[in-house]
Each structure stands twice: as C-alpha cells, then as structure tokens.
Amino acid sequence: MNFIEPLWIINLIIITGYALQDFDIMPNDSEVDPGMTATLTCRVRNRRGECVWLKDGEVVGRISNKYIFEKQPSDGDCSIRITNANLEMDDGHWQCQVTQISLDDPVLKSKKIKLTVRETPQPPQIEDNTIQIKSGGNFKTRAGQPKKLSCVSRKGNPPAELKWFIEENDITAMASQTNGSDIEKPKTWQAISILHYTFLKIHSGKLLRCVALHKGYDTNSRETSTRLDVLYPPEIRLEGSPKEETEEGTSVTLKCVADANPKASIIWKMLGQANVYSIKEELIFTSVRRSDSGIYSCRAKNDIGESKELEISLDVKYKPEIRKVEPSPQVSLSLYSSAKLICQAVGNPQPEYSWLQKVPGEQLAWQERGNDPFLTIPNVTYSFQGRYICEAKNYIKGKEYKTQSEEIKLDVSGNPQVITKMTTTKDNVVVEKNEDVTVSVVFCSDPKPDRVFWEWGSLKLDAGSELGRYIAEGFVAVKDWDDCYEARLLIHNVESSDSRKYTIHIENFKGEEIYTVNLVVREPLSMSMVIGITVGCIVLLAATVTILLCFLKKRKSIFKRKDGFNSDTESEMDSRRSVDVAHNGLAGNAPGAIPPDALYSAPKKQPNKKVENRGEGKHYENFKMDKNDNRDRDHLVYADLSFCAPSERNGHSWNRNGRSVVERTEYAEIQFPSKAKQRGTD
C-alpha cells in the first residue's frame, strides 16, 4: 500500500489548518402521510461545498412551498423539508450530496434512503382458489384434509403485513407472504399471504382470521374472518357407567354421546342378541333387575363416516339366596364313616360359603367346618356330631349381606371316644405340692357308657366312688352336646408320690376307649436357694471379667518391640518387669509371672550359653550379638519361662514313669537394626 499520499494530506492539514468535510448525520428511511411534511435530515462537518438533493437519481432544485433546503448553510445543516407530500411526486429514493471545492476533495454522498408516502390499502380478503369467502360467513372443510387459502390486501403503500389466526392462536408460521406492484394503481402494492393448513375437528366452530397491519389504518390494522365448519365422522363416548356397584332395584341410565359433524345416529345392541336394542341416545332402567345384566355396545354413523363400537358392562348385584341344602333335616352316621353335606346358593357377587357347627355349651358360638358348597367329612367322629347350618354371604358397596340355611342335625353312634380338642381335656396336668387338683376328660358315647373307671398303679376307682384323697365323680352330660359327657378325678392335698399317669376306661357294648393323663407335682423352690443361685451367677461373672483383663495386660507387656538393647535399656526393662510383677500381685517364683532375670544380656561371644536352675524348674535362654561385630548387627533376645499347670497334682504334670513334666511357655523378642545403620554397615 502507498502511504505517501495520505501522509501528504495529513501534513497539509496540519500546516494549513485545512479539514476535510464529512457527514455528521446522514438521512434515514422515512414515511409520511399524504399532504403532510417530511424532513430528511443531513448534517455535514467542515462543509465547504454546496448541498444538493437527488430523488431517484435526479437533482431536485429548491422549490418554494415544496422542497426547502439550504445550499450553503453555515452550520452544515443540509436537511430538506418536503411539504404537501404526494405519492406520485415524492415517494422514491433520496440522496444527500455535497459538491467539491477542489479537484483534490473526495466526493461526499450519503446512502440512498426511501421516502414512503403512505397509501392506505384496501381491507384484507380471504379467498379459496380465487373464490372470495364472505367475512363472517362459514367455511366448510373436512377434518384432516389439507387446504390452501389466500389472504389479499391491495393498493397499499407500503404493502400491508398479513397475519393468520385461529381465534387468538397465531398460525402465521404456516403461511408465506409475497408483495408485488398493484397494476391498478401505480406505486402501490398488492400483498398476498398463502396459508397451507390441515384443519381438525377441534377447529370446528372457531374463527379463522386474516389481519392486515398498516399505519394507514385508523387502528393500524384491519381484519376479515370466517367461521370454520369442519366436517368429521362421529366419535362416541359412554356416560352413566356406574362408579360403584349397581344394586338390584336401583335406577340406572346409560348414555351414548356422539361427537360428529353433521349429527350422527345412535345404535345400541346387547351382546348375544342379533336385533338392535335401541336407537335412542339413552338407555334408562328405572328399577334395574338381575336379568338386565349384560354387555351393551353403542356405535354412531353420519355422512362422513362411522364410529368404532364401544362396550359397557352392566353388572347388577343382588343379595345371596340359598336354594337348596341337604340332607335335611337330620342324618345318622356310624363312627368313622364318611358324610357329605350340600349347599346351593345364588348371588352377585358369587356368595362365599361357610359351614358352621354349634359349639357345645355355648349359646351363640359356632365353629367353622368348611368354606365350600360341599362339606365332606371322610372320617366322622363325635367331634362332628351336632347341629349344622350353611351360611352364604357377599358384599355390595362394601356392605355385607348374609343368609343362613335351616339346621341339619348330624347324629353319630359307636363305641366311646375321648374328645381331645376340648380345653378341659389335657394330656399333662401340672400342680404344686399340697394343692388340690382336678383331672378332667370329655368323651362321647352312643349308646351311653356301661362303665367308667380310673386306673393308676394297682388301684382302680369307678366313677361315682372315692378312696381317701381320691374322688372319681360320676360322669355328667355336656350341655348342648348330645351323647357327650365329662368325667373328673379329684385329688386333695397332692403329694410328690401322686406324680404319675392316670388312665380312664370308658366302655359300652360297642367297644372301649382308654385315655391317659400325666400328673406332675412340683416341689416349691425355697428362697435361700434362689438367693444362692443369684449370688453364684454374679461371682462367676466377676471372676470371668477379672481373668480376661489380666490376660490382656500380660499379652500387652510381654510382646513389646524395642529399637536397641544395652545395659541401660536392660536395667529399664528389669525395672518395668518388677513393676509389672508387683502390679499383678505376683512375686518371686510364683507361677504366672515372668521372673525379673528372664531377659538379660549374655557375655560377649557366648550367644548360645544356657543358664539352668533345676531346683526352681526354670530355663532361660538369651542371645545377644556383639555390638562391635559389623558382620551382623541384629541381635535376638529370647526368654523361656516354664511353670506348672495349676490343675495338675502339686502344680506339676506327670508322665507315664511318674516323673514331673513341666509345660513350657516361651517369650521371644526379635530386634532389627535401623536402615541407617544397615547403610553404614554396607
């Protein structure tokens, strides 16, 4: 790049004080209403030439009451005022220029701007394939069918901006606008917006609006609209489906609602029937019956199409009713034979069954024997004898409905049988010494027993008799339980010798039943024995805790690691051992303590020397390497302590020859030199 010329100009400006002329403010696009005044602003710094305005490339002269501007303004304001604006004369592209004062001056021209003299466009119009749709009228179209609609705004300047709405929902994004010169009026525009849209049934009845935005309108906008009439096949829904269970005798209304355009016809059918059940929108049951239960279907049809078929179930609930129970009213069976009772009930929901047997001795107590329509007893015993009822129940709206059959009496005959399920009949009876006790057994027998007696040891006692402290009461009938009895044996002031088995014998001409009861007499526990056991447990616990603490302390003091070993540390260690011995209450050669001389430093060059004390039964071994020997700076201190097991004779164990054998407990400490010393040795 050649910098000589710009530098020359700069130097010239500095020397002469000359400054170039330049735009301070340039004109911008502007709009003006017809007959009004428009001002195009143009300001120049350091103006030296004359101000000139061009319209559509041609110079405009100063015309009084039309184009007013200064050619040589002292303040550099070259702005032009255009009065009584007119579309034909003034609408166009304008440019501000300043003439040169010398050939060396640059050309000064502003950008071209657009002065628009507004012309109010005609109101917008919606068209379907050039067919105009009357504003406020209906526009029919099928749901799901794509449509192409136009909105046209003519003879406007500038062209109107067109927008599409469905009610207040802006759908302009689905449209495209083009602007072109209106051939009917020069310098005006025709705006056309093409909408591509697929209307759905949700749009039916809503307003489709085209809005034209232009400053020439009084409210800056005008619009046209049409009511959408979207045709679609029927869609149905069912109403009236009971939210809770439908009870027989209540009123029910089922409704088939069709959403269609145009209106659709309704068809009701009932599953299992070929004919049409109804063509009305509603099915009304003023007092619904169980026979009305079933599955109902509904469909709708119009000129556009047909709906799918929907089904609704009507399930009428009703209370249970027992239709049959047998055998009735009585059945006789032999002991250990089989029986079958039958109960048939109807209801909705399906009834639940219960076979109930009257519990002997209770006014309102019943025992459940089964939960099926059939009660099968494969092995009849006296426990099944008595009165039975069949109970059927169901639940409607959370409320229980129950009904019962007439009673069936079941009579059992055979040899005697003890009823072990009775609470009074027990296999084992426990009693405290010197108390009274009653041993009770319930049994059934048809025919009535010929003889009932108790037997224990070599004694026999018939029912209704007594012997000393023993009373065998006569058997009595159990209340509300036919052919069943209770036999009781009373023993006064029981003794330890009364702990034994007591057997009852029940006989009739069909057979015999034998049942044994075990009686346990407990000795009372003295208070001194209770206190003694408690104290013993506390002492044992304290001893266990003490032994455990001593063991942990010894382990901690024995297995300690040291970094070196010398006469000073040896004395210190001897001192610690003396303290430990004193702390544990051990002195001298008492078993369980480490003697003070168990660890010591052996003479030089005698690492394997052993010191024995046969009289005290102690063995000590000590290994210590010469500290001045660089070949091996590690040393091992080893201590061996032997003492007798306290559980052996005289504190010793004995071998086969009768000689004392000592158990050995060894304690060892291994010491390693530090890494620094090792590096020094290497």
Side-chain angles (χ1 to χ4, degrees):
M1 178 179 291
N2 188 2
F3 294 97
I4 297 176
E5 184 176 348
L7 291 174
W8 177 82
I9 295 174
I10 294 172
N11 291 331
L12 179 64
I13 293 172
I14 295 173
I15 294 171
T16 63
Y18 174 79
L20 296 177
Q21 56 185 7
D22 193 9
F23 285 111
D24 190 12
I25 300 175
M26 285 196 295
N28 293 312
D29 292 343
S30 181
E31 291 186 11
V32 62
D33 291 327
M36 302 302 292
T37 299
T39 301
L40 305 181
T41 304
C42 180
R43 290 181 178 273
V44 180
R45 291 192 301 271
N46 304 314
R47 183 202 61 79
R48 292 181 180 275
E50 292 184 354
C51 298
V52 178
W53 281 92
L54 286 79
K55 174 184 175 294
D56 295 331
E58 296 181 357
V59 176
V60 175
R62 292 191 301 174
I63 301 175
S64 178
N65 298 327
K66 185 59 179 178
Y67 304 126
I68 304 170
F69 64 94
E70 294 290 335
K71 286 188 176 184
Q72 294 181 342
S74 58
D75 57 357
D77 188 358
C78 298
S79 302
I80 186 172
R81 291 173 58 238
I82 304 169
T83 61
N84 194 22
N86 181 273
L87 175 67
E88 288 77 11
M89 294 179 60
D90 304 325
D91 186 89
H93 292 87
W94 291 75
Q95 186 180 43
C96 177
Q97 294 185 1
V98 179
T99 61
Q100 298 171 293
I101 61 172
S102 69
L103 295 177
D104 295 329
D105 286 341
V107 178
L108 189 61
K109 298 179 182 180
S110 73
K111 64 181 180 180
K112 293 180 179 181
I113 58 95
K114 179 69 168 66
L115 175 62
T116 302
V117 179
R118 299 188 187 100
E119 184 71 19
T120 303
Q122 295 177 353
Q125 176 67 51
I126 298 177
E127 298 178 356
D128 178 18
N129 292 328
T130 69
I131 300 175
Q132 292 186 355
I133 300 174
K134 184 179 179 181
S135 182
N138 288 345
F139 173 66
K140 286 190 177 183
T141 181
R142 286 200 175 195
Q145 182 178 12
K147 293 297 294 183
K148 177 183 176 182
L149 298 176
S150 302
C151 182
V152 182
S153 176
R154 296 179 174 88
K155 301 178 181 180
N157 188 42
E161 181 184 358
L162 302 176
K163 288 182 173 294
W164 290 90
F165 295 87
I166 296 180
E167 297 291 347
E168 300 302 323
N169 183 29
D170 190 342
I171 59 171
T172 309
M174 306 299 294
S176 59
Q177 179 173 337
T178 58
N179 301 319
S181 297
D182 196 309
I183 60 175
E184 294 182 4
K185 188 175 183 180
K187 290 196 174 185
T188 61
W189 300 87
Q190 177 178 271
I192 302 176
S193 178
I194 307 299
L195 175 67
H196 296 272
Y197 205 81
T198 300
F199 297 99
L200 305 176
K201 72 168 189 175
I202 58 172
H203 301 130
S204 187
K206 295 185 177 180
L207 283 177
L208 175 65
R209 302 162 51 215
C210 177
V211 179
L213 304 178
H214 196 278
K215 291 184 178 179
Y217 295 130
D218 296 339
T219 58
N220 293 330
S221 68
R222 292 283 181 89
E223 73 172 65
T224 184
S225 63
T226 181
R227 184 74 61 179
L228 293 173
D229 188 10
V230 183
L231 308 178
Y232 53 91
E235 292 185 4
I236 59 173
R237 70 179 186 275
L238 294 173
E239 296 180 353
S241 180
K243 296 181 180 179
E244 56 184 17
E245 294 175 322
T246 304
E247 191 171 357
E248 189 173 36
T250 59
S251 62
V252 175
T253 299
L254 304 181
K255 190 174 183 179
C256 183
V257 180
D259 180 13
N261 186 22
K263 188 177 179 180
S265 57
I266 305 296
I267 300 173
W268 283 97
K269 284 188 175 182
M270 186 175 184
L271 187 65
Q273 296 182 5
N275 298 330
V276 174
Y277 190 86
S278 175
I279 57 173
K280 295 181 179 180
E281 188 179 67
E282 293 182 336
L283 293 182
I284 301 175
F285 303 91
T286 54
S287 179
V288 69
R289 299 170 296 176
R290 65 188 69 178
S291 59
D292 294 325
S293 294
I295 298 176
Y296 296 83
S297 64
C298 168
R299 63 186 176 90
K301 184 178 181 181
N302 68 2
D303 295 336
I304 308 301
E306 187 174 346
S307 72
K308 63 180 181 179
E309 192 171 68
L310 295 182
E311 293 182 346
I312 185 171
S313 178
L314 181 60
D315 189 14
V316 181
K317 308 295 184 180
Y318 55 95
K319 304 172 187 177
E321 300 173 3
I322 295 179
R323 297 289 178 85
K324 182 175 73 172
V325 61
E326 59 182 22
S328 179
Q330 182 172 345
V331 58
S332 297
L333 301 167
S334 298
L335 189 64
Y336 306 124
S337 63
S338 62
K340 185 175 184 180
L341 306 182
I342 301 173
C343 183
Q344 292 183 358
V346 294
N348 188 20
Q350 183 65 33
E352 300 175 7
Y353 291 89
S354 294
W355 282 99
L356 305 176
Q357 178 190 4
K358 179 70 172 66
V359 177
E362 300 291 341
Q363 291 291 333
L364 299 175
W366 294 81
Q367 179 182 3
E368 190 174 63
R369 285 294 190 180
N371 301 104
D372 296 314
F374 305 97
L375 176 62
T376 302
I377 308 172
N379 190 22
V380 175
T381 63
Y382 286 106
S383 299
F384 293 97
Q385 180 173 264
R387 293 179 293 159
Y388 288 79
I389 59 172
C390 171
E391 183 178 87
K393 66 179 179 180
N394 64 9
Y395 297 87
I396 302 175
K397 296 181 181 178
K399 183 178 179 181
E400 182 183 73
Y401 292 93
K402 185 187 299 184
T403 185
Q404 294 179 345
S405 69
E406 296 180 354
E407 291 185 359
I408 300 175
K409 186 175 182 182
L410 193 146
D411 184 48
V412 180
S413 62
N415 56 284
Q417 184 184 39
V418 173
I419 309 301
T420 58
K421 293 184 179 180
M422 295 295 290
T423 55
T424 53
T425 303
K426 297 180 180 179
D427 294 335
N428 291 282
V429 178
V430 180
V431 65
E432 300 291 339
K433 187 178 179 180
N434 298 325
E435 291 185 355
D436 296 341
V437 66
T438 299
V439 179
S440 177
V441 173
V442 175
F443 64 90
C444 297
S445 177
D446 185 16
K448 191 174 181 179
D450 299 324
R451 185 187 180 194
V452 176
F453 66 92
W454 295 87
E455 181 180 16
W456 67 97
S458 59
L459 298 177
K460 291 184 180 180
L461 190 61
D462 285 300
S465 59
E466 59 182 82
L467 178 63
R469 295 182 294 110
Y470 305 96
I471 301 174
E473 295 181 346
F475 59 88
V476 295
V478 177
K479 185 179 180 182
D480 294 333
W481 200 356
D482 297 339
D483 305 324
C484 293
Y485 311 90
E486 181 181 10
R488 300 195 300 174
L489 174 64
L490 279 66
I491 306 175
H492 294 288
N493 197 22
V494 294
E495 299 176 355
S496 299
S497 58
D498 291 327
S499 291
R500 60 171 67 242
K501 295 183 182 296
Y502 294 83
T503 303
I504 186 172
H505 296 259
I506 310 161
E507 301 174 354
N508 67 8
F509 76 89
K510 289 190 176 183
E512 179 184 11
E513 174 81 337
I514 299 175
Y515 187 76
T516 300
V517 180
N518 184 40
L519 178 64
V520 178
V521 180
R522 295 190 302 193
E523 292 283 348
L525 191 64
S526 63
M527 183 57 68
S528 60
M529 184 176 295
V530 173
I531 295 174
I533 292 173
T534 304
V535 172
C537 292
I538 295 173
V539 171
L540 179 60
L541 178 61
T544 303
V545 173
T546 303
I547 292 171
L548 181 60
L549 292 176
C550 290
F551 175 72
L552 293 175
K553 285 185 178 181
K554 289 178 181 178
R555 281 178 59 95
K556 183 176 180 181
S557 63
I558 290 171
F559 295 101
K560 286 186 176 180
R561 178 175 295 175
K562 297 183 179 295
D563 293 335
F565 187 86
N566 53 37
S567 58
D568 295 336
T569 58
E570 181 182 0
S571 301
E572 183 181 354
M573 184 168 59
D574 291 341
S575 152
R576 277 201 201 108
R577 285 198 296 269
S578 301
V579 172
D580 290 339
V581 170
H583 178 72
N584 290 287
L586 303 172
N589 302 327
I594 302 175
D597 55 345
L599 300 173
Y600 66 96
S601 180
K604 220 171 187 182
K605 298 183 182 179
Q606 295 179 2
N608 297 324
K609 184 177 178 181
K610 298 182 180 178
V611 179
E612 296 181 1
N613 189 342
R614 294 192 182 124
E616 296 178 356
K618 304 173 184 175
H619 299 273
Y620 309 100
E621 291 182 10
N622 182 30
F623 296 85
K624 183 174 181 184
M625 301 304 296
D626 190 353
K627 297 181 180 179
N628 299 321
D629 189 354
N630 293 329
R631 290 175 299 173
D632 188 358
R633 300 180 64 86
D634 296 343
H635 59 273
L636 170 70
V637 177
Y638 179 88
D640 179 283
L641 175 63
S642 304
F643 41 75
C644 305
S647 60
E648 300 296 332
R649 182 173 43 175
N650 296 326
H652 292 274
S653 300
W654 302 87
N655 61 15
R656 295 181 180 177
N657 299 325
R659 302 189 59 163
S660 174
V661 178
V662 231
E663 293 183 356
R664 299 182 51 158
T665 303
E666 296 182 354
Y667 302 85
E669 181 176 332
I670 301 174
Q671 298 183 353
F672 299 91
S674 63
K675 294 183 178 179
K677 291 181 179 181
Q678 288 180 356
R679 287 195 297 270
T681 303
D682 295 338

